[in-house]
Amino acid sequence: MPTTRLLFIDDEADMRDLVREALSSKGFEVHSTASVSEGLGRIREGSVDVVVTDLNLDGTSGLDVCKRVAECSPDVPVIVLTGFGSMESAVSAIRAGAYDFITKPIDMEQLALTVNRATQLLALRQEAKRLRDRVVSPSSFGTTLGESTAMRRMFDLLERVADSDSTVLVTGESGTGKELVARALHDSSRRKDGPFIAVHCAALPEALLESELFGHVKGAFTDAKGQKTGLFVAANGGTLFLDEIGEMPLSTQVKLLRALQERTVRPVGSDQEVPFDARIVAATNRDVENEVAERRFREDLYYRLNVVRVKVPPLRARDNDVLVIAQAYLNRFARESGRPVRAIGSRAASKLLAYDWPGNVRELQNCIERAVALTRDQEIAVDDLPHAVRDFRPKDDGPTMPPEDAKSEELVELDELARRHILRTLRALHGNKTLAAQVLGLDRRTLYRRLERYGAMPRSRSTPPPESGDRMTVANLPDRGVPAREAPLPDRSGRPVGEELEAGGSRR
């Protein structure tokens, strides 16, 4: 871990020398100054990790230093030294933004311990900022977010097909965000300045659906009091999104097939063909191949639509994308509601990761919106989550059930259960030990010792100090910053634990 860079501000030269000598001997890189403006200059340059300042300075106050540091570098912790030791002084310092305060005469051991804690706080703040930045611009395609292997592969496919006019069939469970994918395809194409028109094929009766898609002429049917342009023609220059195409009646499927083949439509009641120039993106949550086999969907239409197939994986197959998406929704709902909610608590995050999300992203959105509305704190707690999420117990993780990599009849020791749970959590977080420790409720040194015992990291004489956002150092653990195929953690025998996800979210 890099040496902590400490700035000490005091107008007494003897005190500066004393603190500099004492803290330098404990491994800190100490710079001291009597000038507040000089110290603030160093802080703005980013060359300071922790500030220690006397409360009473010549011409100013340590409280003013706290306020000015909070304005220019709010992540830098400030420790205030005071000779008064009153509760009033402590409260004033904390209100001014101080991390902690220490009374004089200074106990150098206590000061060093406080600086160490402040350094860890800085590391956590930097990790939180890094995660927020990843949420602002994580791997994405349009408004669809994701860091998992399955989503990265889907994004790669979307990028390759976005600028073509090929028909795309988007498949996936309800709530996975198929319309977001279709809209992102449109926004990334050369047709982005044209219209994006979506129609839900299951929401309209057969007669009305045909009129909506192809249009009609005046008098075509009883209520046809005027001419209507169909959505195929209305989408000229843009994209027509046919949602839930699997719900379309067979009689309408025949006419849709002809429209796709000829690139023309015939309005209801007309004998004239009207050309259109729109890209077609269709979506369904049904098993299309099974629908074709059961003769509920035309095989020739299926092949016409299935030029490029995009499978949107379910949320349960997307690893820690749950937390990425949840934080993005938290930021959005907190901003819209004006509530000071900033984060998801570690126990709540563990619940979100454990839940299987049958309603996928739509259910997660609803869950986070509810939590932001209910929470009384700046972070979401377990009690803020819906009953289904907080009371969920995975079928293979109950108290009498073995973990996923055990035989159904196997009874294992408690230590072995703990080992598997820790490695599973670490795998879900792509080797990030800081987040894993938070989710597991362990301090980092305990996590390091256990990983050494499990053979998941090299043994050392002393446990490494905490470092924000560090990664597993063994070669078979993935780095979250590398979009390549993640390797699973080993079990005791050295065999990989877990499965790799394909682009469509299926397991192999």
Side-chain angles (χ1 to χ4, degrees), residues 99-120:
Y99 165 70
D100 205 347
F101 80 103
I102 294 178
T103 58
K104 295 180 180 179
I106 303 171
D107 181 334
M108 292 300 172
E109 292 294 332
Q110 181 188 3
L111 178 57
L113 180 62
T114 305
V115 171
N116 270 325
R117 289 202 309 264
T119 302
Q120 293 177 21

Side-chain angles (χ1 to χ4, degrees), residues 10 15 23 35 43 58 111 154 230 271 327 331 356 367 389 407 455 460 477 503:
D10 197 306
M15 182 60 72
L23 295 185
S35 169
I43 295 169
D58 186 19
L111 178 57
M154 189 185 80
D271 57 1
Q327 185 66 47
N331 294 344
D356 62 0
C367 168
V389 178
K407 296 179 180 179
S460 59
L477 291 180

Side-chain angles (χ1 to χ4, degrees), residues 489-506:
L489 290 168
D491 63 12
R492 282 184 168 178
S493 66
R495 295 189 301 270
V497 177
E499 298 172 319
E500 184 183 46
L501 294 175
E502 296 184 351
S506 61

Side-chain angles (χ1 to χ4, degrees), residues 290-336:
N290 183 65
E291 293 295 298
V292 170
E294 296 293 331
R295 299 183 180 276
R296 290 189 292 267
F297 198 85
R298 292 184 62 93
E299 185 175 19
D300 46 6
L301 177 59
Y302 167 65
Y303 289 125
R304 178 63 64 175
L305 292 172
N306 193 31
V307 177
V308 177
R309 178 79 163 269
V310 176
K311 295 181 180 179
V312 184
L315 192 53
R316 63 182 173 275
R318 292 172 56 180
D319 300 328
N320 60 321
D321 280 357
V322 172
L323 297 184
V324 174
I325 299 169
Q327 185 66 47
Y329 279 133
L330 184 150
N331 294 344
R332 169 186 158 187
F333 293 130
R335 182 175 62 251
E336 291 176 354

Side-chain angles (χ1 to χ4, degrees), residues 210-258:
E210 186 176 341
S211 173
E212 284 292 313
L213 292 177
F214 309 127
H216 64 253
V217 297
K218 183 177 179 180
F221 46 86
T222 304
D223 293 328
K225 299 178 180 179
Q227 182 173 322
K228 176 181 175 61
T229 300
L231 297 181
F232 273 89
V233 176
N236 273 337
T239 302
L240 177 61
F241 175 54
L242 303 174
D243 196 10
E244 297 307 337
I245 192 73
E247 308 287 340
M248 181 177 285
L250 285 169
S251 59
T252 309
Q253 290 181 30
V254 176
K255 297 174 183 178
L256 174 61
L257 174 63
R258 186 176 186 282

